Amino acid sequence: MKEILIKELKRKLGEENVLINEADRALFSYDAAFGEKVLPDVVVFPKAKDELGYVIRLMNENSIPVVTRGAGTNLSGGTVPVAGGCVIVMTKMNKILEINENDLYAVVEAGVVTKQLANEVEKRGLFYPPDPGSMNISTIGGNIAENAGGLRGLKYGVTKDYVMGVRLFDIEGNDIKGGGKTVKLVTGFNIPGLMIGSEGLLGIIYEAVLKLVPKPKAAKSLLVEYDSILDACNTVSEIIASKILPSTLELLDNFTIRAVEDSEKIGLPINADALLLIEVDGHPAVVEDDYLLVKKICEKNNGKVKVAANSVERDKLWTARRKALSCLARLKPTLILEDATVPRSKIPEMMKTIQDISKKYDITIGTFGHAGDGNLHPTILTDKRDKEEFQRVEKAIDEIFEKAILLEGTLSGEHGVGLLKAKYMEMEVGKGTLNFMQKLKNGVDPNNMLNPHKMGL
Ligand SMILES: Cc1cc2nc3c(=O)[nH]c(=O)nc-3n(C[C@H](O)[C@H](O)[C@H](O)COP(=O)(O)OP(=O)(O)OC[C@H]3O[C@@H](n4cnc5c(N)ncnc54)[C@H](O)[C@@H]3O)c2cc1C
């Protein structure tokens, strides 16, 4: 990048907010996915809206591609700057601007950490439900751009269900306002909807208005142990069919249970073939009713039910689930976390397919995930330097995706497409839909400057 542009960036943002050394830039050449690394030419940290707008205009005028980055925890290669250029890191735009207890919304800058918002609203008896496993570091902007889900999707939905408004810059640096602070709003296109899941391809979100709900008054957490994972999967389908909506319904297979216990020493039953972690919440009377019915269904499917006696036990259970990914990651050099999602009644069939594929290709797959949403995370542990094994891994992934689509599911329930799933896009959405997405992209970003080469566009 030309020296004069670097000088200009440093003048506007301050020396410490512009990284040009190779060692510094290397930290922004990858994200939480397993793919290749690509160095950006420069990394910048705007602290305020006017700085952000300035950077975007400067980059656009000089035809330099821009990749927006939150915490870089995405699992699809979405922030790898494949065309080089400028990485804009949003983590210094991290103010909670308003928490409105009368109208039940919060206004936040895009770099606010998800957990920081959840904690602040909880102090006021309110609740921001989207809780990706990465919520201790992921940002609201990244959550919106990936339409992040989490453990509470079954009852409370995902990020898209909480975005009332967004403020963003388009590639020319125009300030765009979509949605707002009212529950209803139909003046024009649904711009927040367009930005949800846009993976940094359509604009750079700098602010969001997020819906809040009252905090549930009571909750009960259950750990259910199974000798057969298929019994656990059948339990999930039956709970959903019985018209109860637990706030959380998570599955861990034996491999994952062992990995978590080995690392965390929580006291999980390592001989169980599978565990379900279930939470019901709401009014105390409803919680008790739901709990009794859920317990009955679990026991009918051969599950041994244990209830968390207090908040310490409850926290332990959820730590077990939240740490699943990092505990698996310790075991092999390359971890590939997949995200194929199926209609919930198809969970038992999908689980069986994953097990068969693991045997067929002789590869290690630990499976955990949001079973209540049909969103399993088959996690392949491998070493990408072992070329022969990696070819088998690629075939296994192809077959997992093909099966998910055959079952009327999707390639990705919550992790997005980015680079890693780009080649599968047409298989799921078809040529016509992909063309439609391309026309939208061309319309708002005609020179392909915003996060180029992602999503198959
Ligand atoms: C341990 C672990 C657990 C996880 N658990 C979950 C889970 O349970 N559920 C789930 O859904 N995901 C999960 N994830 C994936 C990831 O955390 C989410 O995709 C999250 O939303 C990414 O947020 P981020 O701030 O890290 O965004 P980044 O990774 O920095 O960026 C993600 C995408 O959003 C774009 N982007 C970022 N900020 C903006 C902005 N301000 N404007 C426009 N575009 C922007 C980027 O260009 C990129 O395409 C997990 C990841 C890890 C590592």
Side-chain angles (χ1 to χ4, degrees), residues 352-410:
K352 169 93 178 52
T353 303
I354 294 168
Q355 289 179 324
D356 291 347
I357 290 173
S358 165
K359 278 195 204 111
K360 177 174 166 190
Y361 290 106
D362 189 21
I363 53 173
T364 308
I365 306 184
T367 300
F368 63 96
H370 319 298
D373 306 338
N375 183 196
L376 292 175
H377 290 323
T379 305
I380 301 171
L381 300 175
T382 179
D383 182 348
K384 67 179 175 185
R385 293 164 299 186
D386 179 343
K387 299 253 172 332
E388 187 276 323
E389 181 175 272
F390 207 70
Q391 277 175 359
R392 280 184 277 127
V393 166
E394 286 182 323
K395 284 188 188 142
I397 293 173
D398 288 352
E399 283 190 25
I400 290 173
F401 286 157
E402 279 160 18
K403 183 68 179 185
I405 289 174
L406 199 71
L407 293 177
E408 297 182 274
T410 173

Side-chain angles (χ1 to χ4, degrees), residues 68 70-74 78-79 133-134 139 142-143 145-146 148-149 199 203 205 325 414:
T68 317
T73 65
N74 77 87
T79 46
S134 52
T139 64
N143 291 174
E146 293 286 3
E199 299 192 16
I205 303 160
L325 180 56
E414 55 181 18

